[in-house]
Amino acid sequence: MAQTTSYLQAQMENPITVVSPNFMAPSPVDLTIVKLMSFSGGDFNVIDVNGNVMFKVKGKYMSLHARRVLHDAAGNPILSFQRKRMSLHERWVVFRGDSSNSKDIIFSAKRSSYIQFKTSLDVFLAYNENEHVCDFKVKGSWLERSCTINAGDGTTIIAQMHKKHTLNSIVLGKDTFAVTVFPNVDYAFIVALVVILHEINRPSSQSTNN
């Protein structure tokens, strides 16, 4: 508990903004990310603890790059992300709004290594062009749906996710994830990372069809 408290205190002192400061809160934010059944295979709803829809992720049907767009509750595009073709490490590139222009890149994420026994994702902000050291890291166990998102030093946790079992998810066959975003951390950024992590770990037969 003391270790977790120190993480919370650190985030209060050092806000992390990647997408926008509009998506930050002074206390932990608990979100549920629900994968929906859709033609594109890439649709999600993001719900808060009161059942309100915070974001919607919509997949572009028949997109060659497995393109996804994150919308706010009003339907405005916040960011878009797509899989980079011919990438051994399953790199995804994230753009501001509904853009796909390189000048609008916010960050990218990729597997830390081609072969993995544990989940490990490296995240690089747009200005980190040499990529010698990642800015954020996702690590844990995808099979157990238990992962942490860390700042670049690898020790400061900024969000945690785990599998959430509900009667509705079992009946409909949905993937449902619970995510706790730490104080003063950009939760739109965290949602994008969790969706990318899900897409990277989809069976290849599903990924290549979208």
Side-chain angles (χ1 to χ4, degrees):
M1 178 65 71
Q3 189 176 31
T4 300
T5 301
S6 67
Y7 290 148
L8 293 173
Q9 291 173 340
Q11 292 315 313
M12 290 293 288
E13 298 170 359
N14 302 290
I16 293 177
T17 304
V18 176
V19 179
S20 170
N22 294 331
F23 305 117
M24 298 175 68
S27 57
V29 176
D30 291 313
L31 299 172
T32 299
I33 302 176
V34 183
K35 187 177 188 300
L36 306 176
M37 299 178 67
S38 65
F39 287 109
S40 70
D43 290 7
F44 299 80
N45 275 351
V46 182
I47 304 166
D48 67 13
V49 292
N50 297 314
N52 301 311
V53 175
M54 300 283 288
F55 302 103
K56 290 185 177 182
V57 177
K58 297 183 179 180
K60 297 288 188 177
Y61 185 56
M62 296 299 291
S63 168
L64 294 176
H65 296 278
R67 185 172 173 79
R68 311 286 184 248
V69 181
L70 177 71
H71 300 261
D72 64 15
N76 302 306
I78 301 301
L79 54 81
S80 55
F81 37 103
Q82 62 187 40
R83 189 178 67 244
K84 185 175 181 180
R85 301 187 71 186
M86 307 300 291
S87 173
L88 291 176
H89 292 266
E90 282 279 335
R91 182 186 289 269
W92 283 69
V93 183
V94 181
F95 305 84
R96 195 168 300 283
D98 197 6
S99 175
S100 58
N101 192 309
S102 59
K103 69 179 178 61
D104 293 319
I105 292 175
I106 305 174
F107 67 91
S108 66
K110 68 179 183 67
R111 291 181 187 268
S112 301
S113 59
Y114 178 66
I115 298 176
Q116 294 190 342
F117 298 101
K118 284 284 187 178
T119 299
S120 183
L121 206 65
D122 292 339
V123 183
F124 303 94
L125 297 176
Y127 61 77
N128 186 359
E129 296 181 358
N130 58 35
E131 297 188 354
H132 292 323
V133 179
C134 63
D135 297 289
F136 301 93
K137 196 173 192 70
V138 183
K139 56 185 180 181
S141 172
W142 176 253
L143 290 177
E144 297 175 3
R145 302 301 197 263
S146 177
C147 296
T148 60
I149 299 172
N150 303 264
D153 59 9
T155 61
T156 302
I157 298 174
I158 62 173
Q160 295 176 309
M161 64 162 286
H162 61 272
K163 180 74 173 178
K164 184 172 184 178
H165 295 284
T166 65
L167 179 60
N168 190 45
S169 66
I170 293 172
V171 171
L172 298 180
K174 297 175 181 175
D175 283 327
T176 305
F177 309 93
V179 182
T180 298
V181 184
F182 281 32
N184 289 335
V185 174
D186 186 334
Y187 49 84
F189 168 60
I190 300 300
V191 168
L193 283 182
V194 173
V195 173
I196 289 172
L197 184 63
H198 180 278
E199 296 299 278
I200 285 178
N201 286 279
R202 293 175 69 191
S204 58
S205 60
Q206 290 182 320
S207 296
T208 54
N209 287 336
N210 297 299

